[in-house]
Amino acid sequence: SKGGDLPIPNKLQIQNSKLQILFLGQMEAYKGILDLIEAVQKTKSDVVLHIVGDGSALIEAKEKAGNDSRFKFYGRLSQTELETKIWPLIDLLINPSLVPESFGMVVVEAMAHGVPTLASNLVALPELIEENRTGWLFEAGNIEALSRKIEHLAQNICGYQAMNLLCQEQAKQFGLDDYLNKLIEFAKIVS
């Protein structure tokens, strides 16, 4: 079949062209959440940052975000809540970690949901994040570079709709979708 015959996810069209970004993880300064909030504040484009997780930087993150309607805090959510309330909304995962990570599980989860990732160059699994195919990298701790990248992606949101399919294919290559399904089933048992 021709490339044009592939189903194109219309999630982005549903969102009325606002870029829906997700931060999912521990709310700790070293995870880059405070830098991410500052980067979003610097962008002029219409974006929404969904922030899921808790930790010692949660209060500071909420103070930094203020009453800005671009930031939505959810606290910690169950796997079921993520599956039903969060992942269907999301266009882009951002992992702005300021420290090297041994395994970027949240990046894997995003790919299985067909969501590309914008990650700092310290996040593990660089082979998963292929520039302009399954995501993008930026220099860790460079708030200006992160802000510019968010701005660019928000303005070119239609240009990377096909990445949803590439991400899912990449997750399958790594056998990650099966692994995630097992994790989800395990989470249901223990929660």
Side-chain angles (χ1 to χ4, degrees), residues 38-54:
E38 189 174 332
V40 168
Q41 287 169 331
K42 288 177 181 284
T43 63
K44 294 170 185 67
S45 294
D46 208 358
V47 302
V48 178
L49 175 58
H50 302 268
I51 301 169
V52 178
D54 61 14

Side-chain angles (χ1 to χ4, degrees), residues 10-83:
N10 61 1
K11 177 167 62 174
L12 302 182
Q13 293 154 352
I14 292 168
Q15 293 306 322
N16 195 20
S17 81
K18 264 189 195 180
L19 182 64
Q20 303 290 321
I21 303 167
L22 175 63
F23 174 90
L24 173 59
Q26 293 174 292
M27 298 288 292
E28 303 295 340
Y30 71 87
K31 289 287 192 175
I33 182 59
L34 302 174
D35 285 3
L36 177 55
I37 290 170
E38 189 174 332
V40 168
Q41 287 169 331
K42 288 177 181 284
T43 63
K44 294 170 185 67
S45 294
D46 208 358
V47 302
V48 178
L49 175 58
H50 302 268
I51 301 169
V52 178
D54 61 14
S56 65
L58 179 59
I59 293 168
E60 189 178 352
K62 283 184 173 179
E63 285 172 359
K64 194 172 187 96
N67 293 322
D68 191 329
S69 62
R70 293 177 292 179
F71 301 101
K72 298 190 182 310
F73 288 86
Y74 297 86
R76 179 174 274 176
L77 296 179
S78 70
Q79 194 64 40
T80 303
E81 289 170 317
L82 281 169
E83 294 294 329

Side-chain angles (χ1 to χ4, degrees):
S1 87
K2 295 178 188 167
D5 297 337
L6 292 171
I8 296 175
N10 61 1
K11 177 167 62 174
L12 302 182
Q13 293 154 352
I14 292 168
Q15 293 306 322
N16 195 20
S17 81
K18 264 189 195 180
L19 182 64
Q20 303 290 321
I21 303 167
L22 175 63
F23 174 90
L24 173 59
Q26 293 174 292
M27 298 288 292
E28 303 295 340
Y30 71 87
K31 289 287 192 175
I33 182 59
L34 302 174
D35 285 3
L36 177 55
I37 290 170
E38 189 174 332
V40 168
Q41 287 169 331
K42 288 177 181 284
T43 63
K44 294 170 185 67
S45 294
D46 208 358
V47 302
V48 178
L49 175 58
H50 302 268
I51 301 169
V52 178
D54 61 14
S56 65
L58 179 59
I59 293 168
E60 189 178 352
K62 283 184 173 179
E63 285 172 359
K64 194 172 187 96
N67 293 322
D68 191 329
S69 62
R70 293 177 292 179
F71 301 101
K72 298 190 182 310
F73 288 86
Y74 297 86
R76 179 174 274 176
L77 296 179
S78 70
Q79 194 64 40
T80 303
E81 289 170 317
L82 281 169
E83 294 294 329
T84 58
K85 296 178 183 173
I86 301 298
W87 285 117
L89 292 174
I90 300 305
D91 302 317
L92 177 70
L93 171 77
I94 299 187
N95 187 333
S97 186
L98 300 171
V99 297
E101 296 189 359
S102 59
F103 189 78
M105 192 63 213
V106 69
V107 174
V108 172
E109 191 172 353
M111 292 195 117
H113 287 91
V115 174
T117 298
L118 173 58
S120 82
N121 57 357
L122 298 179
V123 175
L125 302 177
E127 66 274 14
L128 274 181
I129 301 174
E130 290 182 51
E131 197 76 17
N132 295 317
R133 286 183 52 81
T134 58
W136 305 268
L137 296 174
F138 69 95
E139 183 186 349
N142 187 333
I143 295 169
E144 291 296 328
L146 177 55
S147 181
R148 281 193 307 272
K149 199 68 165 178
I150 293 168
E151 187 81 37
H152 175 77
L153 294 173
Q155 291 172 5
N156 296 285
I157 195 165
C158 295
Y160 60 91
Q161 283 183 318
M163 288 177 80
N164 298 91
L165 297 171
L166 290 168
C167 288
Q168 288 170 330
E169 286 305 308
Q170 185 86 326
K172 284 178 189 168
Q173 280 180 11
F174 283 82
L176 299 175
D177 51 348
D178 185 48
Y179 179 66
L180 281 173
N181 286 333
K182 288 176 184 162
L183 276 180
I184 291 165
E185 289 306 309
F186 179 72
K188 288 177 186 172
I189 293 166
V190 296
S191 57

